[in-house]
Amino acid sequence: MLFIFHRGGGNYEKVVVDENYLNLVKELFKTKINIKSVFLGNSLHPKLKLLVKEKGVYRRGFVHTRASNIKISNRSNPKRLFGVIACRNNISHNVLLPNGDVVLCCMDYGMKHVLGNLFSSDYDSLFRSKEFLKVKKGLRYDSLDILCRYCEEFAYNKESAISLFTKQKELFLKELKRERLTKTEKEYFSRVVKEKVWVFTNPKLYRLAQKLLE
C-alpha cells in the first residue's frame, strides 16, 4: 500500500512547518510504510529539505482543478470526457479519511464517490460496493455521471489522445525541436501534452492495446 504524504512549505500549501510538524514527519519516516512525498511549487521549506534526502520527494509545480472540484482563477474547468474512458491509476488511488470513509481518489474533494467505511466493513468490500461498481460502469457508459469524466490528471480516452495532434501539435513539435518554451508553455506541456505522449510510449499499455485488438 502506498501512503501519499503532502508536504508543507511549497509555494501553495498553507501548512505551518513547526517543531510538532517536523517531529511528526520524523516519526512517519521511521515506519516501514511505503511513502511518496508530494509538494506544490518550485521550492521546499529549508527544514524539510534535510528530511527528504533519504526518502526523496516528488515535486508538482502546478495546481489543477481536482476534476472541477476547485475553481482556479484564469483557468476554465475541464471539458467532460465522452465515450469509453480509462484511469491511469486503474481507479485504485483511493483515499482514507479520518472518520473511516474511503473516497474514490485524491480528486474526489467533494466526496462524490464514497466507496464505504473501514470502521464498518473490510477493505475488499469497498471494491464490491454499489458506488465502486457504478464508477466502473461509468467508465464505459458516458450516460452515467461520474467524477472521472472531468479528471484532467488521470482520465483519458481516444478523443483526448487524438487531440494531441490537433490542439497541442505545435507545442509538441517545438519541444521535439528543442525550441525555447515560455513558462506557460512549459507548464502546459508538463501537465497535458507529456501525459498524452506517455500513453503512446508506455510499452505495457501498448501490449495491452495489441491484445485488445486481436
Side-chain angles (χ1 to χ4, degrees), residues 10-13 38-43 58-64 75 153 183 186-188 190-191:
N11 297 90
Y12 300 99
E13 296 94 338
V38 177
F39 79 96
L40 299 174
N42 299 314
S43 61
Y58 175 58
R59 181 183 68 81
R60 297 298 302 271
F62 61 90
V63 181
H64 47 67
R75 188 182 300 176
E153 182 75 0
K183 183 178 180 181
K186 286 180 180 178
E187 180 179 323
Y188 186 75
S190 176
R191 180 169 58 88

Side-chain angles (χ1 to χ4, degrees), residues 64-78:
H64 47 67
T65 70
R66 298 287 176 179
S68 294
N69 275 300
I70 298 176
K71 304 298 180 184
I72 301 177
S73 60
N74 301 321
R75 188 182 300 176
S76 58
N77 285 335

